[in-house]
Amino acid sequence: MPKYLPRVLSGMRPTGPLHLGHYFGALENWVRLQNSGEYACWFFSADWHALTTGYRDTSHIAEYRRDMFATWMAVGLDPDKATFFAQAALPEHGELATLFGMITPIPWLERVPSYKEVRQELSDRDLSTIGFLNYPLLQTADITMYLATHVPVGEDQLAHVELSREVVRRFNSYYGEVFPEPKGLVTKVKRLPGLDNRKMSKSYGNAIYLTESPDEVKKKVMPAPTDPARIRRSDPGTPEKCTIYAYQAIVQEEGTLAEIAEGCRTAAIGCVDCKKKLLAGLEGFREPIRAKHADILASGDLDDIIVEGNRKARAEAQLTMHRVREVMGL
Ligand code: TRP
Ligand code: SF4
């Protein structure tokens, strides 16, 4: 008998090329979970979730999705070990979200912290939509469709998983034990701020992408702020107060890192030299990813991989929906 593995499911919205924050905040952990052999892993493109805030211009979704899958593979996610799929190819997710909507009081959705927060943050668009309010319920459908037990997410997504648990409890209490209660697996992330020390995000223009050219990275790193105490070259600095150092801590070997810290504290190195070392370290990390990403996009296998992943997901989704329709008397 094959061993029944607990299931991991996670997704990302295809809203642009992936940056270092995606890698250190999520993908590194996904790869680890995939390779642990302890879970059956399902990773998907949350296409409709991208629409909840980006519904006006949808012209890049398909392109970003391909790019995202290629980047996943470039960093070590493997379609032979995990299933990759696209939410938009699975109408079952919409059906299940609709059915969950029947049993979910609107205030449960209104009180999810990100509902208010993201509306404030993205005040340039109208987010008083059904779709945006329903974001966590659609996420609940994504998770429960595959009977996922573990959902690796960042801290900011925990409230969504908590809502999923409440919906699952209500569903199971009404119609019978169909879904396991999913648990959030919070990633112990190496916190990596954007180059301006705010959250790394495409919308702030402070992100380093995994696959952009070394020149583009250089253009962003060289003018980035450092420890403000280092006004003159001879002023000593405090690495812990410097965003550049947060990046060094991620890409450099221990010995090099210690040299940089010491050099900063004693003003033995200047910020320009320090940034050059960072660029070298970043390239050591990014170069193989960039090369693999380009190969995958060029190879033509990617579309077949996604079609196959969608097919596997669909088979699973159909089983779940059969059962759901049955227990709900539909
Ligand atoms: N909300 C998640 C994010 O923005 C993406 C997502 C959609 C997701 N559905 C999911 C994550 C299901 C985990 C499980 O990162
Ligand atoms: Fe930051 Fe490096 Fe300059 Fe120190 S030397 S302040 S760590 S950029």
Side-chain angles (χ1 to χ4, degrees):
M1 265 243 300
K3 189 169 144 215
Y4 181 81
L5 295 173
R7 290 187 169 186
V8 157
L9 175 130
S10 201
M12 255 179 211
R13 288 167 296 148
T15 51
L18 302 189
H19 51 62
L20 295 180
H22 290 113
Y23 182 78
F24 292 106
L27 292 175
E28 188 182 34
N29 188 45
W30 292 11
V31 171
R32 204 174 47 75
L33 291 165
Q34 167 198 271
N35 291 340
S36 74
E38 287 170 37
Y39 302 97
C41 293
W42 301 73
F43 300 121
F44 76 102
S45 173
D47 310 311
W48 296 338
H49 283 98
L51 295 180
T52 60
T53 53
Y55 55 83
R56 190 59 196 84
D57 176 7
T58 60
S59 55
H60 295 291
I61 291 188
E63 168 201 335
Y64 287 155
R65 179 172 58 216
R66 271 188 107 242
D67 182 80
M68 182 171 79
F69 284 133
T71 309
W72 287 3
M73 288 168 68
V75 301
L77 290 177
D78 179 350
D80 290 331
K81 295 184 188 162
T83 307
F84 301 174
F85 66 93
Q87 185 189 48
L90 287 132
E92 288 82 358
H93 288 230
E95 182 182 358
L96 188 53
T98 298
L99 294 174
F100 284 151
M102 304 303 164
I103 65 167
T104 306
I106 292 171
W108 286 16
L109 296 170
E110 286 171 332
R111 71 168 190 237
V112 173
S114 60
Y115 183 63
K116 250 220 254 30
E117 285 164 19
V118 176
R119 283 177 62 148
Q120 267 159 17
E121 200 179 310
L122 303 179
S123 54
D124 58 320
R125 28 198 131 154
D126 185 358
L127 293 184
S128 54
T129 54
I130 306 276
F132 185 64
L133 178 65
N134 209 40
Y135 187 115
L137 218 46
L138 180 55
Q139 182 158 347
T140 302
D142 301 332
I143 296 168
T144 53
M145 187 68 79
Y146 305 93
L147 310 181
T149 46
H150 296 78
V151 184
V153 284
E155 198 93 52
D156 60 320
Q157 293 286 318
L158 264 188
H160 288 154
V161 180
E162 193 44 52
L163 179 106
S164 299
R165 296 165 63 83
E166 286 174 56
V167 174
V168 162
R169 280 198 285 272
R170 181 171 278 209
F171 185 100
N172 287 350
S173 77
Y174 290 172
Y175 311 113
E177 288 291 317
V178 174
F179 299 116
E181 272 183 43
K183 273 193 274 295
L185 279 183
V186 181
T187 319
K188 281 184 238 71
V189 286
K190 302 177 186 129
R191 227 192 74 69
L192 195 61
L195 284 167
D196 57 1
N197 211 26
R198 292 190 289 174
K199 181 182 178 205
M200 189 180 284
S201 156
K202 184 181 145 196
S203 46
Y204 293 153
N206 63 2
I208 295 177
Y209 296 98
L210 290 164
T211 55
E212 68 189 332
S213 76
D215 239 32
E216 285 170 297
V217 175
K218 190 171 169 194
K219 268 191 237 149
K220 289 187 254 189
V221 167
M222 294 316 288
T226 62
D227 175 1
R230 296 208 71 181
I231 299 164
R232 280 166 310 236
R233 167 69 182 77
S234 54
D235 294 331
T238 310
E240 291 73 19
K241 289 186 183 162
C242 177
T243 317
I244 295 297
Y245 187 73
Y247 287 74
Q248 301 281 28
I250 277 178
V251 298
Q252 305 291 6
E253 306 279 345
E254 232 170 274
T256 317
L257 185 64
E259 271 169 38
I260 290 169
E262 175 68 11
C264 177
R265 280 194 193 97
T266 58
I269 60 166
C271 292
V272 172
D273 287 337
C274 183
K275 285 175 169 173
K276 285 184 182 156
K277 283 189 211 290
L278 175 63
L279 290 174
L282 279 172
E283 279 325 288
F285 168 71
R286 289 188 330 118
E287 206 280 321
I289 295 174
R290 196 168 59 246
K292 211 169 157 202
H293 173 259
D295 282 351
I296 292 163
L297 280 182
S299 83
D301 295 346
L302 184 59
D303 299 304
D304 296 342
I305 288 169
I306 302 313
V307 167
E308 175 57 16
N310 287 346
R311 195 193 57 71
K312 270 200 229 158
R314 190 98 203 260
E316 202 63 28
Q318 283 176 340
L319 283 178
T320 300
M321 289 318 299
H322 254 108
R323 176 110 177 87
V324 166
R325 292 184 208 116
E326 185 182 86
V327 299
M328 290 186 80
L330 296 167

